[in-house]
Every structure is written in structure tokens, then in C-alpha cells.
Amino acid sequence: MDYKETLLMPQTDFPMRGNLPNREPERQATWKESDIYQKVQQRTEGRPLFVLHDGPPYANGDIHMGHALNKILKDFIVRYKSMSGYHAPYVPGWDTHGLPIETALTKSGKVNRKAMSVAEFRKLCEEYAKKQIERQREQFMRLGVRGDWWNPYVTLEKEYEAQQIKVFGEMAKKGYIYKGKKPVYWSPSSESALAEAEIEYHDKRSPSIYVAFQVKEGNDVLEGDEAIVIWTTTPWTIPANLGISVHPDLDYNVVKVADRKFVVAAGLLESLEKELEWEQVEVLKTFKGKALEYVKAEHPLYGRDSLVMCGEHVTLDAGTGCVHTAPGHGEEDYLVGQKYGLDVLCPVDDKGNMTDEAPGFEGLFYDQANKPITEKLDEIGALLKLTFITHSYAHDWRTKKPVIYRATAQWFASIEQFRPELLKAIEEVEWLPKWGETRLYNMVRDRGDWCISRQRAWGVPIPVFYGEDGEPIITDETIDHVSALFREHGSNIWFEWETEQLLPEGFTSPHSPNGSFTREMDIMDVWFDSGSSHQAVLEERADLVRPADLYLEGSDQYRGWFNSSLSTSVAVTGKAPYKGVLSHGFALDGEGRKMSKSIGNVVVPNDVMKQLGADILRLWVASVDYQADVRVSDKILKQVSETYRKIRNTFRFLLGNLHDFDPAVNRVATEELGEVDLFMLVKLNEVVEKAKQGYEHYQFSTVYHTIHNFCTIELSSFYMDMAKDTLYIEHANHPARRAIQTVMYDVLVALTKLVSPILSHTADEVWEHIPGVSEESVQLTDMPEAKTFTDVEALLAKWNHFMSVRDDVLKALEQARNEKKIGKSLTAAITIYASGAVRQLLSSIPSLEKLFIVSAVKLAGEAGEAPGEAAVFEDLAIVVQQAEGETCERCWVVSTTVGSDSEHPTLCSSCAETVSTHYQNV
């Protein structure tokens, strides 16, 4: 007889190798064909709604690791919520307006921007954006992200633009929108104003100059022969100087140096002596800054007045304590200038070139004007010192080139008017991590008004008309009409139709007695676009609701989408658009460096999926502490692949040993299970509860480690290893075998559900092979519930104690193996000397040899009675030796009963009985 035929070895079609790069696209095609997203929505309809609102990525280029991290995290949450009592739709979105698309088209060389109308160029921008959406949609879906991909929201869509106009109109109605000439971040390289969210900081080398402004009118404080010393790193702004700011409460000195007198802050005199190399300085007079108010100095280049003003913004951090003030080129300059009635002089044009308001420097690019301005100051004796410094300076986040502060006529949203409501709304939101609240709170508390106008073509136009007297016209009637027109025709009509066609029929205004109107040609800041999504998506769509339960984006969005969404939502509704905000860090390389093509350290999601598969990428996301910056590299992904292999092999082993198990027929009742089987189900309970808590608190690394540890420690190293003898050797319906299969079945179903949000492809693949399940996909099930057992604490205490004793036994076996006393553990017989609780424990457990996977176990005397060769541990000692007898051909146990049955002389008595009783016909 071939005894192999009597063994119930594992059988399964579930492949050992995942082959994810090939199998995942096939599975995704099946999901698409069956419309799994809609099936999930239909199944959960009527449950409480959970809305994770997707922050729209910009529609330009392939996705990067930051995109992958973001979308996969969102997918974890949405998948879990749909399996835990919620109806969780996921509507992906795209941000489609803005300069990058304009730049991409003009740089392509195929578009002659100057040879076409604005409307024609905008149509090309729209076509380009839609192609980019198709490109990114395919890549996001390849990640395994489930969503309403064929009905997303897109900021260029008519319905979206119509709602955005409504948001603008509502803010204008409340008096939050105004037009004013004030300094804003201006990018000469983009020829447009920028919002704070469009600024990033890089080091820049700048001139550092000290300039003397001769006093013209001393107002009985100064005698008139002094010079006030200012310091600046932007000599190009000297032509725009209209004043000098001092702090009213600081002390100022008049000092004599050689034959000149200078006015500087007393607190900076010592550092200025060194910096300006002043020798034999004599302090002639000291007074508070407020005494200098309304003193007039003379502009060194043009001779006009430069008014001394009091400003709280002046500090002793650097410079002279006398601040060069150009209202057209700085926010604080502007504010103090407004207080003192100064003009807003800005002698720099859109391209960054000096205008005729800077005589002598007309036509020069502002940065190139630094040198001739400094030379002129030196020539007339006003320059005290020139050096160069390297400092952090604002740059355009798109072009990476420096920006300037420049006063222009712009449209603003007045944050100041509803700042208290914004700060209150922030306090009512749940923030993860908690520091996010402080970060956004401080940003909102300190920010100025929001410049929302841009001098570009590709965007949503600012829906403002002008009367014949130049007065802006924004009424409910015009807003409603323009919104309705955009909903029907799209916003391109603003650049195609005549102004009269855009106004309501028969519209009149006291600002245009002759009925003639013009319209604003600036577009809105793209952050106003995406920041209006709470209205254009959450309110617009029937399947969503405002406020959303959660916004989840990278930590850069505190100054971006989190901020702009909050501003528009509080302005319109009085409340935040989100109940909770969760942020993640940036994806860095394996050494913690920013990814860069020049360094060659970029990890591309598409490449990872082609080589390893999306589930490896998803498992990596689950493994990291994503709320901080995360690292990814080939080495890290290989480690994650090894974890995946262990989890997959666990699934394969469980499936293989359930090939003849029908849960409807073969399940063993809980009360009939052995203690070790119950122990595994209680441990499974712990896994279910801990993993679900991890999901609930968005701690996915807890889920990852909990499941990985359970697979490798409790299952692979103990239960599955111990169970092999019973599963393979006993006959099919042996009670102990069916009991183990019952436990394995419950473990398999629960683990498949628990990993489903993370390993979406693999979990579906496993589900197809599980016997007795009716749902076509694990995605159409709910998370497992922890089961109730009696005397759980006593059971856990006993078997956790056993596991620690087992660790000692394994150490003794390993020691004996290293000493060549035994080979495999089944060749061993062990004698245990134990005292107290350990002895009592081992005496209460039958079949210890199966639990320790040895051929014989003998419980001998007390621990102190063990012979010298014993391996000694706390409360027990273990002697390992070769088992007596022969090796059974069928079960590999070494037994003295081998040969006792003449019909089966190579089998032990147990195997001989099993074969004789159950395999007579083999």
C-alpha cells in the first residue's frame, strides 16, 4: 500500500505566488465589468452616511508617491467604513484650472498663444486637462482605489463653475469681497498675483545696504543736520520709498560719527558700530520713537519728502530700528502708509520692469536695478555700506523664481471681517494629528486678506461688471444670471460673448445711465476653485452631504485646501466644511531625502506596480507612520514584499487544509472544541478587536502589525504547525481534525475581511477560494465581530502560560539540535522536570507531544531533581534525547509501537488503526 494515499495533504488552487503585476489588472477588469462600486453602494444604502471628501489633485502629469500615499489612505478608510455599518460613497475629483496647464501648452511649441483669442486658448487648456484626467484616472484605479471613477467632480465642469459663482456672490453679498490697490505677492515670471499657498521659500543672495536719509524738517526734535539710517535687502524699492517707520516705544539715539550725525535705535547702536565700522561714536541725544513722528527726511534720489511714522511692526531683530517704508511693496509698509495717508507708489510693471515712476532706472528688470540704484546712492554720499547676504526668500511655487511684493488693483476676500468665526470653526473640528489645529489656527489668526484675482486666462472669471463710472456691480440678480449661464454653457462664454449678453435682459444700474457696461477680465485664484468644492460637490451631489466627515490630505494643505475650504465655507455657511481633518506627511527616499530627478532617487508608483504589484504598495502604506514623513525605497518595498509573502502563505495553508470542509456540514460546535482550539479563537477575537480599533482611529500600522504578528506567531509558528499532524494523519471526520478546521475556517474568513481594505486584490482572490461563502466579493461583506466565550480570562491565563513554557521547550530542542543530539523535533523525546504552577499546568494538558511536536513527553520530578545535562529554566528543566523506537512511515513519529501490526509493519499502532479502519480500499 502507498501510505501517501492515506494522508489528507493540503489541496488548493490558490497560487503560492501572487503574480500581482499580471493578476491585479485582470481582477480590476472584473470589478469594472461587475461595477463593484455600485454594488457596494446598493448594499449599504440606508445606513448612516460617511463622507470622505476627496481633495482634488492637479490634472497634470503622472501620479507620484505622494498621490499614491494619499489615495490609498483614503481607500483604506472608505473600504473599512462600508464594511462597518456606514454608507460610504467616494467621489474622486480633479483641480483643472491654473498656470501649469497654460505653461504646459505654451512650452509644447504647438500652441501660438499670441495668435489666438482667450476663448480659443481656454478650449485647448480644457482639452489638455481632460487628457490628463484620463491619464491619472487609469493610474489611480491601478492602485486598486474604489470610487465613482466615471462620475467624478472636475473643477472645469459647468455645474461646478456655476456653484463657484454662487459662493463668490454670497461672499460679496456679505461684504467680504472688495477691490483695492494693495501689495500682494507678485510673480514676474508668471505675470500674476499669487496667494500665500502658492509661495515656497528658497535661499537667495541679495544686496544688503545701509542708506542715510537727510533730515529736512526736525520738528524741534532734530536740528536738521542729521541723517536717519535705514537698512534694506531690496535696493530696487528705494525709488518707491515714501517714509521711514520707527517704533513709538523704543529708544533712539542721535550719534556723532566723525563730522556726521545719524539717527538709529539705541538698542542696535553697538551692532551698527561694528557693521558700519564707526569709531569714536558720541551719543548726543536720546528720545522715544514717538518723538520722531511727522519728522520729514529727504528722499536721497528724488528730494521728495520721506515721512517718519510710528509703526508697531518695527523691531530690533536686525537693521537700524528705522525701517525703509515703500507702501507699494510691502504689507506692513502699506498698512502704516494708509494710516498716515501716503500714496501707494509702485514703480514696477507686471513683468517686473521699472516704470517711469522710477526716473533714471526705467525699463530695468527690478533685480538688475539693484546695482545702478546702489551706485547712484554711493555717488551722492547716501550709501553707508554695501554687502551681500544669503537668506530665505519667497519664490513662485510653479516657476521656482523669486516673487516680489507689488501693489496692484486686485480683488480680495476680507479674512479680517470674519476671522473670529474662522477661529471658532477651527476649534469645533477634530484634528489628526492634534498639532494640525494649532497650525491652521495660527495661520488664520496671522494671515492678511486673501487676494483672489489672477491675471491669467485659464480659470473661472470673476463675475463682476462695471458701470460707466467704473463702479463694480455685483448683485443677486447678476450672480444668479451668470451662474445659470455657466451651468448651461460653461464659463468660456465670459470670453466669447458681449458684456450685454452676459447681463440679465433689461438690466439697468444707476452707475450706467446710458446702459453701457464692461466686465472684469481677471480670473479667480485656483484655491478659490478647489476651496468651493464643499458647495460645488458636497451640496451639488445628491449622494454627498455638507459638512463632510473627513478631509484627508498632505500636511502642505494646511496653507492650501484646508485653509481655502474653511474660508469659503465659513463665509457662506458660518461653519467648517469638515467635521474632521487628517493629514499625512511627504514621501521621501530610503535615506529621508526629498525625491528628485536630479538625484535619481524617485520611486514611481507605476514602476512599483509593474514590478511588485499594487497590493505591495498598499501594504507599504499600511506599514508606515503616515502622519509624519514616510520613507520608501526598493529595499523597504522588498521587506514589505516579504511580509506579504508570509500573509499570503498563511492564507494558502488555511485554504489548503479546508479543501474537504463544508462549514454547513462539518463545523464543530463551540462547546465541543478543545481548549487549544478555543484559545486560538479567543486570540482571533483580540486580533479582530485590535485591528478594528486601528481602522477606527486611522492607525493602519496597528492593523498591519496585528495581522502580521498573528500570522507569523500564533498561526504559523504554533497553531498551524501543531495542527499538521492531526490535519494530515487523522481520518477526514476525526473530531479533532474537524475542530481544527472549524477554527481555521473562522480565522480565514475573519482575516480575509480584516485585510480587505488594505490588500484589496489579494483579499478578493482569497475570498473566491473560501468554501461556503455566498457573496461574490469580500467587499460585499461586513467586518467580523468578536465572539463571546465563557471563562476567557482563565483560558487566556492558562494558555498564555503554556506558550511561555513552550518557548522554553523550543529553546531546549534548539540547543540539543545544535549539539547534534537530535535532528528534526520529531526524533526527540523530552523529559520535563517542573515545579509549582508549571507542573500543575502541564499535568492538565493532554497530548503534550503534539503541542511540542516531539515523539514523546514525560513529566518527571520537581525542577530541582533534574539531572546535570538538563536545560534549566525558571520553574522547570528539560532533558532532550533521541526518542526510542522506529520512525513511522506515515506520520514520522518515532515510536516503540512501529511493527506491532503485522499488516502494517512500518506504521505505529495509531496509524495502523487509522489505515485499517478508514483506508481499506486504498
Side-chain angles (χ1 to χ4, degrees), residues 451-471:
C451 176
I452 60 170
S453 51
R454 296 291 179 274
Q455 293 67 48
R456 309 299 310 174
W458 179 228
V460 178
I462 292 176
V464 174
F465 297 94
Y466 293 100
E468 292 161 7
D469 59 0
E471 192 67 25

Side-chain angles (χ1 to χ4, degrees), residues 73-120:
L73 285 170
K74 290 172 179 172
D75 198 44
F76 289 171
I77 294 170
V78 171
R79 284 176 180 270
Y80 171 72
K81 289 295 183 181
S82 72
M83 295 177 72
S84 58
Y86 290 93
H87 182 62
Y90 176 62
V91 179
W94 273 276
D95 196 5
T96 50
H97 291 128
L99 184 62
I101 287 178
E102 291 192 39
T103 304
L105 280 174
T106 51
K107 280 187 175 179
S108 69
K110 299 175 183 176
V111 176
N112 184 354
R113 172 72 182 85
K114 294 177 181 177
M116 58 181 64
S117 67
V118 171
E120 289 169 336

Side-chain angles (χ1 to χ4, degrees), residues 468-592:
E468 292 161 7
D469 59 0
E471 192 67 25
I473 297 170
I474 314 170
T475 69
D476 285 351
E477 187 182 4
T478 61
I479 289 295
D480 289 345
H481 187 69
V482 171
S483 176
L485 287 177
F486 282 12
R487 185 175 285 273
E488 182 178 355
H489 303 286
S491 64
N492 228 28
I493 60 169
W494 192 265
F495 303 94
E496 293 173 325
W497 293 9
E498 296 297 326
T499 303
E500 286 69 23
Q501 295 175 283
L502 297 168
L503 282 162
E505 189 173 349
F507 182 80
T508 60
S509 167
H511 298 292
S512 287
N514 300 314
S516 178
F517 299 91
T518 56
R519 62 188 182 273
E520 177 62 67
M521 297 306 287
D522 282 359
I523 61 168
M524 291 192 219
D525 174 17
V526 290
W527 290 109
F528 200 101
D529 289 19
S530 58
S532 301
S533 63
H534 57 85
Q535 175 84 23
V537 182
L538 298 179
E539 279 292 295
E540 173 77 16
R541 292 181 64 127
D543 54 343
L544 302 176
V545 68
R546 179 175 63 189
D549 291 278
L550 189 67
Y551 276 32
L552 166 54
E553 302 301 329
S555 55
D556 56 334
Q557 294 307 312
Y558 288 104
R559 64 201 292 265
W561 192 54
F562 297 158
N563 202 325
S564 63
S565 298
L566 180 78
S567 298
T568 58
S569 181
V570 171
V572 171
T573 71
K575 295 185 180 297
Y578 35 67
K579 297 175 186 175
V581 170
L582 175 60
S583 68
H584 61 79
F586 293 93
L588 310 174
D589 75 0
E591 297 174 28

Side-chain angles (χ1 to χ4, degrees), residues 239-391:
N241 174 279
L242 294 176
I244 299 169
S245 297
V246 296
H247 195 288
D249 301 324
L250 290 178
D251 286 332
Y252 286 82
N253 290 334
V254 176
V255 298
K256 185 175 182 181
V257 182
D259 59 347
R260 299 185 70 176
K261 295 180 186 176
F262 299 109
V263 179
V264 296
L268 289 166
L269 180 56
E270 187 177 339
S271 62
L272 286 168
E273 287 179 31
K274 294 176 184 176
E275 180 69 25
L276 299 176
E277 300 173 17
W278 284 347
E279 295 179 356
Q280 296 179 331
V281 176
E282 181 184 356
V283 177
L284 301 178
K285 191 184 287 188
T286 302
F287 40 77
K288 294 293 183 185
K290 59 189 171 189
L292 291 170
E293 189 176 24
Y294 297 110
V295 164
K296 291 179 182 175
E298 183 178 299
H299 193 290
L301 296 177
Y302 304 131
R304 65 173 176 250
D305 290 350
S306 185
L307 182 68
V308 178
M309 304 169 287
C310 289
E312 299 286 339
H313 64 286
V314 179
T315 70
L316 298 179
D317 293 343
T320 69
C322 306
V323 178
H324 153 56
T325 303
H329 291 294
E331 188 167 9
E332 289 163 333
D333 303 47
Y334 170 81
L335 292 173
V336 73
Q338 289 292 101
K339 180 180 171 185
Y340 285 88
L342 297 185
D343 290 337
V344 182
L345 175 62
C346 179
V348 180
D349 68 15
D350 292 1
K351 295 182 179 179
N353 297 326
M354 307 300 284
T355 68
D356 57 9
E357 289 185 296
F361 311 105
E362 304 98 319
L364 289 174
F365 186 62
Y366 77 94
D367 204 37
Q368 294 168 347
N370 282 328
K371 187 176 180 181
I373 289 171
T374 304
E375 289 173 345
K376 186 66 176 175
L377 290 169
D378 190 27
E379 178 187 321
I380 61 178
L383 182 68
L384 300 181
K385 184 163 186 182
L386 162 66
T387 55
F388 288 87
I389 62 169
T390 299
H391 60 145

Side-chain angles (χ1 to χ4, degrees), residues 36-45 87-90:
I36 191 70
Y37 175 77
Q38 286 303 328
K39 285 184 177 178
V40 169
Q41 300 314 301
Q42 289 163 10
R43 185 184 85 88
T44 59
E45 195 170 357
H87 182 62
Y90 176 62

Side-chain angles (χ1 to χ4, degrees), residues 743-770:
V743 172
M744 286 188 166
Y745 183 82
D746 288 350
V747 167
L748 174 62
V749 171
L751 281 186
T752 306
K753 291 178 175 182
L754 287 174
V755 302
S756 176
I758 295 170
L759 299 176
S760 53
H761 306 86
T762 302
D764 251 27
E765 184 185 5
V766 172
W767 192 258
E768 289 176 351
H769 292 81
I770 298 177

Side-chain angles (χ1 to χ4, degrees), residues 45 70 80 189 197 229 262 338 455 491 512 517 548 635 650 695 707 728 734 750 801 807 827 879 890:
E45 195 170 357
N70 177 261
Y80 171 72
S189 54
V229 183
F262 299 109
Q338 289 292 101
Q455 293 67 48
S491 64
S512 287
F517 299 91
K635 182 180 178 182
T650 301
Y695 278 123
I707 291 172
Y728 304 168
H734 192 286
H801 188 191
D807 287 341
T827 65
V879 175
R890 182 169 180 269

